[in-house]
Amino acid sequence: MSTGEALAGADGALRCPWALSTEDYVAYHDDEWGRPVHGDDALFERLSLEAFQSGLSWITILRRRPTFRLAFAGFRIEKVAAFTEADRERLLADPGIIRNRAKVDATLANARVLAGWSEGELDELIWSHAPDPAARPVPKVLGDVAAVTPESTALSKALKKRGLKFVGPTTAYALMQACGLVDDHLEACVSRGAATRG
């Protein structure tokens, strides 16, 4: 039974144990998760995908991400904000994405809200909630990693106050982890601190 410690992958490198179940996860863990993401469209994509992931395994979303990108016009805010009722029906009939009516509607509504923001405003709002790395303990095992933090709760409230949907504290924290606002790679993980090295 796993104790939640970093484990050696096929290449011998220690990684967060969740990353070792599939090659898709290894690549995502090594190259994306915990690395800083900036830009309104890129953050809109991550926020949308985290919302679609709610209640599902991340691997389900990761493997469908290319189809999501096609279906949602590359998650370009202005394009998604202009989607029509016909686009909505197309999305709800698309087997390549998650056909959850509430999540599709939230993504479209969020794009319409964000289309009214200034360029860089979403990026600035999200990154203003990044905690001081020096004040955060380094996780040694998976049990040390939180699902919700005061910062993610504050980010969730800020996004909801501005009219965004499907952005609860758990989704907000998953976004913070995925986009590098926090480094939740385990202490012994080969990717710990990778975003700030070199």
Side-chain angles (χ1 to χ4, degrees), residues 2 4-7 15-21 142 186:
S2 172
E5 297 174 348
L7 299 174
R15 290 181 176 83
C16 301
W18 62 263
L20 299 177
S21 59
L142 282 183
L186 301 184

Side-chain angles (χ1 to χ4, degrees), residues 113-124:
V113 168
L114 293 171
W117 292 19
S118 302
E119 186 176 346
E121 195 171 347
L122 178 62
D123 191 306
E124 183 178 341

Side-chain angles (χ1 to χ4, degrees), residues 82-92 101 105 112:
F83 275 15
T84 64
E85 181 60 26
D87 289 308
R88 177 177 177 271
E89 293 304 317
R90 169 183 58 80
L91 293 168
L92 292 172
R101 188 174 305 276
D105 287 347
R112 291 179 189 121

Side-chain angles (χ1 to χ4, degrees), residues 16-127:
C16 301
W18 62 263
L20 299 177
S21 59
T22 72
E23 285 300 315
D24 293 325
Y25 265 160
V26 172
Y28 176 70
H29 169 274
D30 288 3
D31 301 330
E32 293 188 65
W33 195 74
R35 304 207 180 222
V37 173
H38 285 283
D40 293 343
D41 289 344
L43 288 166
F44 170 59
E45 175 183 350
R46 297 299 184 94
L47 187 62
S48 300
L49 292 178
E50 293 294 349
F52 273 103
Q53 185 272 330
S54 180
L56 302 170
S57 166
W58 178 245
I59 197 67
T60 301
I61 303 302
L62 191 60
R63 287 179 172 161
R64 295 179 185 212
R65 185 166 59 173
T67 312
F68 268 106
R69 286 174 170 165
L70 281 173
F72 283 96
F75 289 96
R76 292 186 298 280
I77 293 168
E78 292 292 338
K79 287 192 172 289
V80 179
F83 275 15
T84 64
E85 181 60 26
D87 289 308
R88 177 177 177 271
E89 293 304 317
R90 169 183 58 80
L91 293 168
L92 292 172
D94 188 341
I97 65 168
I98 305 301
R99 294 175 289 178
N100 178 296
R101 188 174 305 276
K103 294 174 181 180
V104 167
D105 287 347
T107 303
L108 300 181
N110 289 347
R112 291 179 189 121
V113 168
L114 293 171
W117 292 19
S118 302
E119 186 176 346
E121 195 171 347
L122 178 62
D123 191 306
E124 183 178 341
L125 176 62
I126 289 175
W127 277 91

